[in-house]
Amino acid sequence: RDHVSAVTGYPTKRLYIDREAVGYGVEITETPNMLDKVLKDKRYKVGADCARPETISYLANLGYNIHGAKKWQGSVEDGIEFLKGFEKIVIHPSCVHTIQEFTRYGYKIDKHTNEILPIVVDAYNHCIDASRYALDDMIKKKTTIYDAGVMYG
């Protein structure tokens, strides 16, 4: 059982996130039902956590166009900086988990100086991670957001 978050959106100058599906303790066999809540078609690209190859394989065998998102030293920070590079991130009001995460997300604060540290807090990030996984090719290649198509994570 695992935590599963899926979001769909459209990157242009702005990132539009229009759907989400979030589940806790999700069995691998339940994951397709969650994805089907946000995907219009199995052929759309799905970026997934590469640390879950069994889930990626299972979904690929069911016909999903899924790949393991690339991770590298600093990939979380690079992904956050990439997300911050959008003119605006617009999240549909029905995506309550995604809204909560973007509202709560932050950096560690030094307890002695109250200075904000360049260390991302590893919390409130499942939907944000799904967004990063979906955009990983653009993040790594630093592709301009204007050339992007539909993203799914």
Side-chain angles (χ1 to χ4, degrees):
R1 292 182 169 264
D2 201 4
H3 179 94
V4 175
S5 297
V7 296
T8 65
Y10 306 89
T12 59
K13 289 182 182 180
R14 297 179 176 192
L15 175 61
Y16 294 92
I17 298 175
D18 63 350
R19 281 181 247 156
E20 71 174 13
V22 177
Y24 302 94
V26 177
E27 294 285 348
I28 193 169
T29 55
E30 297 170 11
T31 305
N33 292 331
M34 291 199 59
L35 282 179
D36 291 344
K37 290 178 184 177
V38 297
L39 292 176
K40 294 178 184 176
D41 191 308
K42 286 183 180 182
R43 293 176 292 181
Y44 286 125
K45 178 182 166 190
V46 177
D49 187 345
C50 65
R52 302 307 307 239
E54 71 286 354
T55 303
I56 294 167
S57 175
Y58 177 76
L59 293 169
N61 287 332
L62 293 176
Y64 290 91
N65 181 15
I66 189 167
H67 74 282
K70 297 168 194 72
K71 292 185 183 180
W72 58 90
Q73 181 78 24
S75 62
V76 173
E77 293 80 4
D78 289 350
I80 297 306
E81 287 304 311
F82 187 83
L83 290 171
K84 288 168 49 178
F86 284 100
E87 182 180 278
K88 188 173 190 176
I89 297 175
V90 181
I91 304 170
H92 191 277
S94 66
C95 300
V96 294
H97 294 95
T98 305
I99 291 169
Q100 287 174 349
E101 287 187 17
F102 273 92
T103 303
R104 295 177 178 171
Y105 202 72
Y107 293 88
K108 290 186 179 183
I109 298 174
D110 185 293
K111 293 178 184 177
H112 302 293
T113 65
N114 265 354
E115 182 180 337
I116 298 172
L117 303 172
I119 302 167
V120 177
V121 175
D122 189 16
Y124 311 114
N125 58 359
H126 298 289
C127 296
I128 293 172
D129 286 350
S131 300
R132 287 189 308 100
Y133 298 154
L135 296 168
D136 78 316
D137 285 341
M138 294 170 61
I139 295 165
K140 185 68 173 174
K141 295 177 185 172
K142 301 200 182 339
T143 303
T144 63
I145 54 180
Y146 315 109
D147 295 336
V150 178
M151 72 96 182
Y152 291 86

